Coordinates of all heavy atoms in Angstrom, one line a residue:
P1 N -53.3 176.1 -11.9 CA -53.2 175.2 -13.1 C -54.1 175.6 -14.2 O -55.1 176.2 -14.1 CB -53.7 173.9 -12.5 CG -53.6 174.0 -11.0 CD -53.7 175.4 -10.7
L2 N -53.6 175.4 -15.4 CA -54.3 175.7 -16.6 C -55.2 174.5 -17.0 O -54.8 173.3 -17.0 CB -53.3 175.9 -17.7 CG -53.8 176.2 -19.1 CD1 -54.5 177.5 -19.2 CD2 -52.6 176.2 -20.1
R3 N -56.4 174.7 -17.3 CA -57.3 173.7 -17.7 C -57.3 173.5 -19.2 O -57.5 174.5 -19.9 CB -58.8 173.9 -17.3 CG -59.0 174.1 -15.8 CD -59.5 173.1 -15.0 NE -60.6 172.2 -15.2 CZ -60.4 170.9 -14.8 NH1 -59.2 170.4 -14.5 NH2 -61.4 170.1 -14.9
L4 N -56.9 172.4 -19.7 CA -56.7 172.1 -21.1 C -57.0 170.6 -21.4 O -56.6 169.8 -20.6 CB -55.3 172.4 -21.5 CG -55.0 172.3 -23.0 CD1 -55.8 173.3 -23.9 CD2 -53.4 172.5 -23.2
V5 N -57.8 170.4 -22.3 CA -58.1 169.0 -22.8 C -58.7 168.3 -21.6 O -58.5 167.1 -21.5 CB -56.8 168.3 -23.3 CG1 -57.1 167.0 -24.0 CG2 -56.0 169.2 -24.1
G6 N -59.5 169.0 -20.9 CA -60.3 168.3 -19.8 C -59.5 167.8 -18.6 O -59.9 167.0 -17.8
S7 N -58.2 168.2 -18.6 CA -57.4 167.9 -17.4 C -56.6 169.1 -16.9 O -56.4 170.1 -17.6 CB -56.4 166.7 -17.8 OG -55.6 167.1 -18.8
E8 N -56.0 168.9 -15.7 CA -55.2 170.0 -15.2 C -53.8 169.9 -15.7 O -53.2 168.8 -15.9 CB -55.2 170.0 -13.7 CG -56.6 170.1 -13.2 CD -56.6 171.1 -12.0 OE1 -55.5 171.6 -11.6 OE2 -57.7 171.3 -11.4
M9 N -53.2 171.0 -16.1 CA -51.9 171.0 -16.7 C -51.0 172.0 -15.8 O -51.5 173.1 -15.6 CB -51.9 171.5 -18.1 CG -50.6 171.5 -18.8 SD -50.8 172.0 -20.5 CE -50.0 173.5 -20.5
C10 N -49.9 171.6 -15.5 CA -49.0 172.5 -14.8 C -47.8 172.9 -15.6 O -47.1 172.0 -16.2 CB -48.4 171.8 -13.5 SG -47.3 172.8 -12.6
I11 N -47.7 174.2 -15.9 CA -46.6 174.6 -16.7 C -45.4 175.1 -15.8 O -45.6 175.8 -14.8 CB -47.0 175.9 -17.5 CG1 -48.1 175.5 -18.5 CG2 -45.8 176.4 -18.3 CD1 -48.7 176.5 -19.3
R12 N -44.2 174.4 -16.0 CA -43.1 174.7 -15.2 C -42.0 175.4 -15.9 O -41.7 175.1 -17.1 CB -42.5 173.4 -14.7 CG -43.5 172.5 -13.9 CD -42.9 171.2 -13.5 NE -42.9 170.4 -14.8 CZ -43.0 169.1 -14.7 NH1 -43.0 168.4 -13.7 NH2 -43.0 168.4 -15.9
D13 N -41.4 176.4 -15.3 CA -40.2 177.0 -15.9 C -39.0 176.3 -15.4 O -38.9 175.8 -14.3 CB -40.1 178.5 -15.4 CG -41.2 179.4 -16.0 OD1 -41.7 179.0 -17.0 OD2 -41.5 180.4 -15.4
R14 N -38.0 176.3 -16.3 CA -36.7 175.7 -15.9 C -35.7 176.5 -16.7 O -35.8 176.7 -17.9 CB -36.7 174.2 -16.3 CG -35.4 173.4 -16.1 CD -35.1 173.1 -14.6 NE -35.9 172.3 -13.9 CZ -35.6 171.0 -13.6 NH1 -34.6 170.4 -14.0 NH2 -36.5 170.3 -12.9
Y15 N -34.6 176.9 -16.0 CA -33.5 177.5 -16.6 C -32.3 176.6 -16.6 O -32.1 175.8 -15.7 CB -33.1 178.8 -15.9 CG -34.2 179.8 -15.9 CD1 -35.1 179.9 -14.8 CD2 -34.3 180.7 -17.0 CE1 -36.1 180.9 -14.9 CE2 -35.3 181.6 -17.0 CZ -36.2 181.7 -15.9 OH -37.2 182.6 -15.9
G16 N -31.6 176.6 -17.7 CA -30.4 175.7 -17.8 C -29.5 176.2 -18.8 O -29.7 177.2 -19.5
V17 N -28.3 175.6 -18.9 CA -27.3 175.9 -19.8 C -27.1 174.7 -20.8 O -27.0 173.6 -20.3 CB -25.9 176.2 -19.1 CG1 -24.9 176.5 -20.1 CG2 -26.1 177.4 -18.0
V18 N -27.1 175.1 -22.1 CA -26.9 174.0 -23.1 C -25.8 174.4 -23.9 O -25.6 175.6 -24.4 CB -28.2 173.9 -23.9 CG1 -28.1 172.9 -25.0 CG2 -29.4 173.6 -23.1
G19 N -24.8 173.5 -24.2 CA -23.7 173.7 -25.0 C -23.8 173.2 -26.3 O -24.8 172.5 -26.6
P20 N -22.9 173.5 -27.2 CA -23.0 173.0 -28.6 C -22.7 171.5 -28.7 O -22.1 170.9 -27.8 CB -21.8 173.7 -29.2 CG -20.8 174.0 -28.1 CD -21.6 174.2 -26.9
K21 N -23.3 170.9 -29.7 CA -23.2 169.5 -30.0 C -21.7 169.2 -30.1 O -20.9 170.0 -30.8 CB -23.9 169.1 -31.3 CG -23.9 167.6 -31.5 CD -24.7 167.3 -32.7 CE -24.7 165.8 -33.0 NZ -25.6 165.5 -34.1
G22 N -21.2 168.1 -29.6 CA -19.8 167.7 -29.7 C -18.9 168.3 -28.7 O -17.6 168.2 -28.7
M23 N -19.4 169.0 -27.6 CA -18.6 169.6 -26.6 C -17.8 168.5 -25.9 O -18.5 167.4 -25.6 CB -19.4 170.4 -25.6 CG -18.7 171.0 -24.4 SD -19.8 171.7 -23.1 CE -20.2 173.2 -24.0
S24 N -16.6 168.7 -25.6 CA -15.8 167.6 -25.0 C -16.4 167.3 -23.6 O -16.9 168.2 -22.9 CB -14.4 168.0 -24.9 OG -14.2 169.0 -23.9
A25 N -16.3 166.0 -23.3 CA -16.8 165.6 -21.9 C -16.0 166.3 -20.8 O -16.6 166.6 -19.8 CB -16.6 164.1 -21.8
D26 N -14.7 166.6 -21.0 CA -14.0 167.3 -20.0 C -14.5 168.7 -19.7 O -14.7 169.1 -18.6 CB -12.5 167.4 -20.5 CG -11.6 168.0 -19.4 OD1 -11.7 167.6 -18.2 OD2 -10.8 168.9 -19.8
L27 N -14.8 169.4 -20.8 CA -15.3 170.8 -20.7 C -16.7 170.8 -20.1 O -17.1 171.5 -19.2 CB -15.3 171.5 -22.1 CG -15.8 172.9 -22.0 CD1 -15.1 173.8 -21.1 CD2 -15.8 173.5 -23.5
L28 N -17.5 169.8 -20.6 CA -18.9 169.7 -20.0 C -18.9 169.5 -18.6 O -19.6 170.1 -17.8 CB -19.6 168.6 -20.8 CG -21.0 168.3 -20.3 CD1 -21.9 169.5 -20.5 CD2 -21.6 167.1 -21.1
G29 N -17.9 168.6 -18.1 CA -17.9 168.2 -16.7 C -17.4 169.5 -15.9 O -18.0 169.7 -14.8
K30 N -16.4 170.2 -16.4 CA -15.9 171.4 -15.7 C -17.1 172.4 -15.5 O -17.2 173.1 -14.5 CB -14.7 172.0 -16.4 CG -13.5 171.1 -16.2 CD -12.3 171.7 -17.0 CE -11.1 170.8 -16.9 NZ -10.0 171.4 -17.7
L31 N -17.7 172.7 -16.6 CA -18.8 173.7 -16.6 C -19.9 173.2 -15.7 O -20.5 174.1 -14.9 CB -19.4 173.9 -18.0 CG -18.5 174.7 -19.0 CD1 -19.1 174.7 -20.4 CD2 -18.4 176.1 -18.5
S32 N -20.3 172.0 -15.8 CA -21.4 171.5 -14.9 C -21.0 171.6 -13.4 O -21.8 172.1 -12.6 CB -21.6 170.0 -15.2 OG -22.6 169.5 -14.4
D33 N -19.8 171.2 -13.1 CA -19.3 171.3 -11.7 C -19.4 172.7 -11.2 O -19.9 173.0 -10.0 CB -17.9 170.8 -11.6 CG -17.7 169.3 -11.7 OD1 -18.8 168.6 -11.7 OD2 -16.6 168.8 -11.9
E34 N -19.0 173.7 -12.0 CA -19.0 175.1 -11.6 C -20.4 175.6 -11.5 O -20.7 176.4 -10.5 CB -18.2 176.0 -12.5 CG -16.7 175.7 -12.5 CD -16.1 175.9 -11.1 OE1 -16.4 176.8 -10.4 OE2 -15.3 174.9 -10.6
I35 N -21.3 175.3 -12.3 CA -22.7 175.7 -12.3 C -23.3 175.1 -11.0 O -24.1 175.9 -10.3 CB -23.4 175.4 -13.6 CG1 -22.9 176.2 -14.7 CG2 -24.9 175.5 -13.4 CD1 -23.3 175.7 -16.1
I36 N -23.1 173.9 -10.8 CA -23.7 173.2 -9.6 C -23.2 173.9 -8.3 O -24.0 174.2 -7.4 CB -23.5 171.7 -9.6 CG1 -24.3 171.0 -10.6 CG2 -23.7 171.1 -8.2 CD1 -23.9 169.6 -10.9
K37 N -21.9 174.3 -8.3 CA -21.4 175.0 -7.1 C -22.0 176.3 -7.0 O -22.4 176.8 -5.9 CB -19.9 175.2 -7.3 CG -19.0 174.0 -7.0 CD -17.6 174.3 -7.2 CE -16.7 173.1 -7.4 NZ -15.3 173.4 -7.7
S38 N -22.2 177.1 -8.1 CA -22.8 178.4 -8.0 C -24.2 178.4 -7.5 O -24.7 179.2 -6.7 CB -22.6 179.2 -9.3 OG -23.5 178.6 -10.3
V39 N -25.0 177.4 -8.0 CA -26.4 177.2 -7.6 C -26.6 176.9 -6.2 O -27.5 177.3 -5.5 CB -27.1 176.1 -8.5 CG1 -28.5 175.8 -8.0 CG2 -27.2 176.6 -9.9
A40 N -25.5 176.3 -5.6 CA -25.6 175.9 -4.2 C -25.2 177.0 -3.2 O -25.3 176.9 -2.0 CB -24.7 174.7 -4.0
T41 N -24.7 178.2 -3.8 CA -24.3 179.3 -2.9 C -25.5 180.0 -2.3 O -26.6 180.0 -2.8 CB -23.5 180.4 -3.7 OG1 -24.4 181.0 -4.7 CG2 -22.3 179.8 -4.3
P42 N -25.3 180.5 -1.0 CA -26.5 181.1 -0.3 C -27.1 182.3 -1.2 O -28.3 182.4 -1.2 CB -25.8 181.6 0.9 CG -24.7 180.7 1.2 CD -24.2 180.4 -0.2
T43 N -26.2 183.1 -1.9 CA -26.7 184.2 -2.6 C -27.7 183.7 -3.7 O -28.8 184.3 -3.9 CB -25.6 185.0 -3.2 OG1 -24.8 185.5 -2.2 CG2 -26.1 186.2 -4.0
V44 N -27.2 182.8 -4.5 CA -28.1 182.3 -5.6 C -29.3 181.6 -5.1 O -30.4 181.9 -5.6 CB -27.3 181.3 -6.5 CG1 -28.2 180.7 -7.6 CG2 -26.1 182.1 -7.2
R45 N -29.2 180.8 -4.0 CA -30.4 180.1 -3.5 C -31.4 181.1 -3.0 O -32.6 181.0 -3.2 CB -30.0 179.2 -2.4 CG -29.1 178.0 -2.9 CD -28.8 177.0 -1.9 NE -30.0 176.2 -1.6 CZ -30.5 175.2 -2.4 NH1 -30.0 175.0 -3.6 NH2 -31.6 174.6 -2.0
T46 N -30.9 182.2 -2.3 CA -31.8 183.2 -1.8 C -32.5 183.9 -2.9 O -33.8 184.1 -2.9 CB -31.0 184.2 -0.9 OG1 -30.5 183.5 0.2 CG2 -31.9 185.4 -0.4
V47 N -31.8 184.4 -3.9 CA -32.4 185.2 -5.0 C -33.4 184.3 -5.8 O -34.5 184.8 -6.0 CB -31.3 185.7 -6.0 CG1 -31.9 186.3 -7.3 CG2 -30.4 186.8 -5.3
V48 N -33.1 183.1 -6.1 CA -34.0 182.2 -6.8 C -35.2 182.0 -6.0 O -36.3 182.0 -6.5 CB -33.3 180.9 -7.2 CG1 -34.3 180.0 -7.8 CG2 -32.2 181.3 -8.3
S49 N -35.1 181.7 -4.7 CA -36.1 181.4 -3.8 C -37.1 182.6 -3.7 O -38.3 182.5 -3.7 CB -35.7 181.0 -2.4 OG -35.0 179.7 -2.5
Q50 N -36.5 183.8 -3.6 CA -37.3 185.0 -3.5 C -38.1 185.3 -4.7 O -39.2 186.0 -4.7 CB -36.4 186.2 -3.2 CG -35.8 186.3 -1.9 CD -34.8 187.4 -1.6 OE1 -34.2 187.9 -2.6 NE2 -34.5 187.8 -0.4
Q51 N -37.7 184.8 -5.8 CA -38.5 184.9 -7.1 C -39.5 183.7 -7.3 O -40.1 183.6 -8.3 CB -37.5 185.0 -8.3 CG -36.6 186.2 -8.2 CD -35.6 186.3 -9.3 OE1 -35.5 185.3 -10.1 NE2 -34.8 187.2 -9.4
G52 N -39.6 182.9 -6.2 CA -40.6 181.8 -6.3 C -40.1 180.6 -6.9 O -40.8 179.6 -7.2
G53 N -38.7 180.5 -7.1 CA -38.1 179.4 -7.7 C -37.6 178.4 -6.7 O -37.5 178.7 -5.5
E54 N -37.2 177.3 -7.2 CA -36.5 176.2 -6.4 C -35.1 176.0 -7.0 O -35.1 175.4 -8.2 CB -37.3 174.9 -6.4 CG -36.7 173.9 -5.5 CD -37.5 172.6 -5.6 OE1 -38.7 172.7 -5.9 OE2 -37.0 171.6 -5.2
P55 N -34.1 176.4 -6.4 CA -32.7 176.2 -7.1 C -32.4 174.7 -7.1 O -32.5 174.0 -6.1 CB -31.7 176.9 -6.1 CG -32.6 177.5 -5.0 CD -34.0 177.1 -5.2
V56 N -32.0 174.2 -8.3 CA -31.7 172.9 -8.5 C -30.4 172.9 -9.3 O -30.3 173.5 -10.3 CB -32.8 172.1 -9.3 CG1 -32.3 170.7 -9.6 CG2 -34.1 172.1 -8.5
G57 N -29.4 172.1 -8.9 CA -28.2 171.9 -9.6 C -28.1 170.5 -10.1 O -27.8 169.6 -9.3
S58 N -28.6 170.3 -11.3 CA -28.6 168.9 -11.8 C -27.5 168.6 -12.8 O -26.8 169.5 -13.2 CB -29.9 168.7 -12.6 OG -30.1 169.6 -13.6
T59 N -27.2 167.3 -13.0 CA -26.2 167.0 -13.9 C -26.6 167.1 -15.4 O -27.8 167.3 -15.6 CB -25.8 165.5 -13.7 OG1 -26.9 164.6 -14.1 CG2 -25.4 165.2 -12.2
P60 N -25.7 167.2 -16.3 CA -26.1 167.2 -17.7 C -27.1 166.1 -18.1 O -28.0 166.4 -18.8 CB -24.8 167.1 -18.5 CG -23.8 167.7 -17.5 CD -24.3 167.2 -16.2
A61 N -26.9 164.9 -17.6 CA -27.8 163.8 -18.0 C -29.2 164.0 -17.4 O -30.2 163.8 -18.0 CB -27.2 162.5 -17.5
E62 N -29.2 164.5 -16.1 CA -30.5 164.8 -15.5 C -31.3 165.9 -16.2 O -32.5 165.8 -16.4 CB -30.3 165.2 -14.1 CG -29.9 164.1 -13.1 CD -29.4 164.5 -11.8 OE1 -29.0 165.7 -11.6 OE2 -29.4 163.7 -10.9
F63 N -30.6 166.9 -16.7 CA -31.2 168.0 -17.4 C -31.7 167.5 -18.8 O -32.8 167.9 -19.2 CB -30.3 169.2 -17.5 CG -30.9 170.4 -18.1 CD1 -32.0 171.0 -17.5 CD2 -30.4 171.1 -19.1 CE1 -32.7 172.1 -18.0 CE2 -31.0 172.3 -19.6 CZ -32.1 172.7 -19.0
A64 N -30.9 166.7 -19.5 CA -31.3 166.2 -20.7 C -32.5 165.3 -20.6 O -33.5 165.4 -21.4 CB -30.2 165.3 -21.3
D65 N -32.6 164.5 -19.5 CA -33.8 163.7 -19.2 C -35.1 164.5 -19.0 O -36.1 164.2 -19.5 CB -33.6 162.8 -18.0 CG -32.6 161.6 -18.3 OD1 -32.3 161.3 -19.5 OD2 -32.1 161.0 -17.3
F66 N -34.8 165.6 -18.3 CA -36.0 166.6 -18.1 C -36.5 167.1 -19.4 O -37.7 167.2 -19.6 CB -35.5 167.7 -17.1 CG -36.5 168.8 -17.0 CD1 -37.6 168.6 -16.1 CD2 -36.4 169.9 -17.7 CE1 -38.6 169.6 -16.0 CE2 -37.4 170.9 -17.5 CZ -38.4 170.8 -16.7
I67 N -35.6 167.6 -20.2 CA -35.9 168.2 -21.5 C -36.7 167.2 -22.3 O -37.8 167.5 -22.9 CB -34.7 168.7 -22.2 CG1 -34.1 169.9 -21.5 CG2 -35.1 169.1 -23.7 CD1 -32.7 170.4 -22.0
L68 N -36.3 165.9 -22.4 CA -37.0 165.0 -23.2 C -38.3 164.6 -22.6 O -39.3 164.5 -23.3 CB -36.1 163.7 -23.2 CG -34.8 163.8 -24.1 CD1 -34.0 162.5 -24.0 CD2 -35.2 164.1 -25.5
A69 N -38.4 164.5 -21.2 CA -39.7 164.3 -20.7 C -40.7 165.4 -20.9 O -41.9 165.2 -21.2 CB -39.5 164.1 -19.2
E70 N -40.2 166.6 -20.8 CA -41.2 167.8 -21.1 C -41.6 167.8 -22.5 O -42.7 168.1 -22.8 CB -40.4 169.1 -20.7 CG -40.3 169.4 -19.3 CD -41.6 169.5 -18.6 OE1 -42.2 170.6 -18.6 OE2 -42.1 168.6 -18.0
R71 N -40.6 167.4 -23.4 CA -41.0 167.5 -24.8 C -42.1 166.4 -25.1 O -43.2 166.7 -25.7 CB -39.8 167.1 -25.7 CG -40.2 167.1 -27.2 CD -39.0 166.8 -28.0 NE -39.4 166.6 -29.4 CZ -38.7 166.6 -30.4 NH1 -37.4 166.7 -30.3 NH2 -39.2 166.4 -31.7
K72 N -42.0 165.2 -24.5 CA -43.0 164.2 -24.6 C -44.3 164.6 -24.0 O -45.4 164.4 -24.6 CB -42.6 162.9 -24.0 CG -41.4 162.2 -24.8 CD -41.0 161.0 -24.1 CE -39.8 160.4 -24.8 NZ -39.3 159.1 -24.2
R73 N -44.2 165.3 -22.9 CA -45.5 165.8 -22.2 C -46.2 166.7 -23.0 O -47.4 166.7 -23.2 CB -45.1 166.4 -20.9 CG -46.2 166.7 -19.9 CD -45.8 167.0 -18.6 NE -45.2 168.3 -18.4 CZ -45.8 169.4 -18.0 NH1 -47.1 169.4 -17.7 NH2 -45.2 170.6 -17.9
Y74 N -45.5 167.8 -23.6 CA -46.1 168.7 -24.4 C -46.6 168.2 -25.8 O -47.6 168.6 -26.3 CB -45.2 170.0 -24.6 CG -45.2 170.8 -23.4 CD1 -44.1 170.9 -22.5 CD2 -46.3 171.6 -23.1 CE1 -44.1 171.7 -21.4 CE2 -46.3 172.4 -21.9 CZ -45.3 172.4 -21.1 OH -45.2 173.2 -20.0
E75 N -45.9 167.2 -26.3 CA -46.4 166.6 -27.5 C -47.8 165.9 -27.3 O -48.7 166.0 -28.1 CB -45.4 165.5 -28.0 CG -44.1 166.1 -28.7 CD -43.1 165.1 -29.0 OE1 -43.2 163.9 -28.6 OE2 -42.2 165.4 -29.6
T76 N -47.9 165.3 -26.2 CA -49.2 164.7 -25.8 C -50.3 165.7 -25.7 O -51.4 165.5 -26.2 CB -49.1 163.8 -24.5 OG1 -48.1 162.9 -24.7 CG2 -50.4 163.2 -24.1
I77 N -50.0 166.8 -25.0 CA -51.0 167.9 -24.8 C -51.4 168.4 -26.1 O -52.6 168.6 -26.4 CB -50.4 169.0 -23.9 CG1 -50.2 168.4 -22.4 CG2 -51.2 170.2 -23.9 CD1 -49.4 169.3 -21.5
V78 N -50.5 168.8 -27.0 CA -50.7 169.4 -28.3 C -51.6 168.4 -29.1 O -52.6 168.8 -29.7 CB -49.5 169.8 -29.0 CG1 -49.7 170.1 -30.5 CG2 -48.8 170.9 -28.3
R79 N -51.2 167.1 -29.1 CA -51.9 166.1 -29.9 C -53.3 166.0 -29.4 O -54.3 166.0 -30.2 CB -51.2 164.8 -29.9 CG -51.8 163.7 -30.8 CD -51.1 162.4 -30.8 NE -50.8 161.9 -29.4 CZ -49.8 161.8 -28.7 NH1 -48.6 162.4 -29.2 NH2 -49.7 161.3 -27.5
E80 N -53.5 165.8 -28.1 CA -54.8 165.6 -27.5 C -55.7 166.9 -27.7 O -57.0 166.7 -27.8 CB -54.7 165.3 -26.0 CG -54.2 163.9 -25.8 CD -54.1 163.5 -24.4 OE1 -54.4 164.4 -23.5 OE2 -53.6 162.4 -24.1
A81 N -55.1 168.0 -27.7 CA -55.9 169.2 -27.9 C -56.2 169.5 -29.4 O -57.0 170.4 -29.7 CB -55.2 170.4 -27.3
G82 N -55.6 168.8 -30.3 CA -55.9 168.9 -31.7 C -55.2 170.2 -32.2 O -55.6 170.8 -33.2
M83 N -54.1 170.7 -31.5 CA -53.5 171.9 -32.0 C -52.7 171.7 -33.2 O -52.2 170.6 -33.4 CB -52.5 172.4 -30.9 CG -53.2 172.9 -29.6 SD -52.0 173.4 -28.4 CE -52.9 173.3 -26.9
T84 N -52.6 172.7 -34.1 CA -51.8 172.6 -35.3 C -51.0 173.9 -35.5 O -51.4 175.0 -35.0 CB -52.7 172.4 -36.6 OG1 -53.6 173.5 -36.7 CG2 -53.4 171.1 -36.4
V85 N -50.0 173.8 -36.3 CA -49.3 175.0 -36.6 C -49.7 175.6 -37.9 O -50.0 174.9 -38.9 CB -47.7 174.7 -36.8 CG1 -47.0 175.9 -37.2 CG2 -47.2 174.1 -35.5
E86 N -50.0 176.9 -37.9 CA -50.5 177.5 -39.1 C -49.5 178.3 -39.8 O -48.6 178.9 -39.2 CB -51.7 178.5 -38.8 CG -52.9 177.7 -38.3 CD -54.1 178.5 -38.0 OE1 -54.1 179.7 -38.4 OE2 -55.0 178.0 -37.4

């Protein structure tokens, strides 16, 4: 863990697929279903696990929730550390 702002911080990697704004629900559903199927295959699970990852096939809503939660978490870290953009 990284020590920052007097507390422990865990930085997590996450890979995902993001489509353009306005993508049809039908296309989004089809892509999501195929991605979830591929992540569940033994080959993908093995390769990801060998690289220290944990294969997760989440829904578009779950991934959006994760992105928003991470953004809030990092906003707090940046604010508490007094970081600024130069």
Side-chain angles (χ1 to χ4, degrees):
L2 177 66
R3 300 259 318 135
L4 181 67
V5 194
S7 63
E8 298 225 358
M9 180 178 115
C10 178
I11 297 175
R12 300 175 285 208
D13 289 339
R14 177 72 64 105
Y15 297 94
V17 177
V18 179
K21 184 176 181 174
M23 178 185 284
S24 74
D26 184 52
L27 179 56
L28 178 61
K30 288 177 184 177
L31 287 171
S32 177
D33 290 346
E34 292 303 315
I35 291 167
I36 288 170
K37 285 180 196 174
S38 70
V39 169
T41 64
T43 301
V44 171
R45 296 189 71 73
T46 298
V47 169
V48 172
S49 296
Q50 287 174 340
Q51 295 174 0
E54 179 183 343
V56 176
S58 59
T59 66
E62 291 168 335
F63 190 53
D65 289 346
F66 172 80
I67 291 169
L68 290 174
E70 287 295 280
R71 180 178 175 167
K72 288 178 184 177
R73 187 167 77 94
Y74 282 105
E75 284 174 351
T76 300
I77 291 167
V78 168
R79 185 178 56 255
E80 288 178 2
M83 295 179 197
T84 59
V85 176
E86 295 183 14

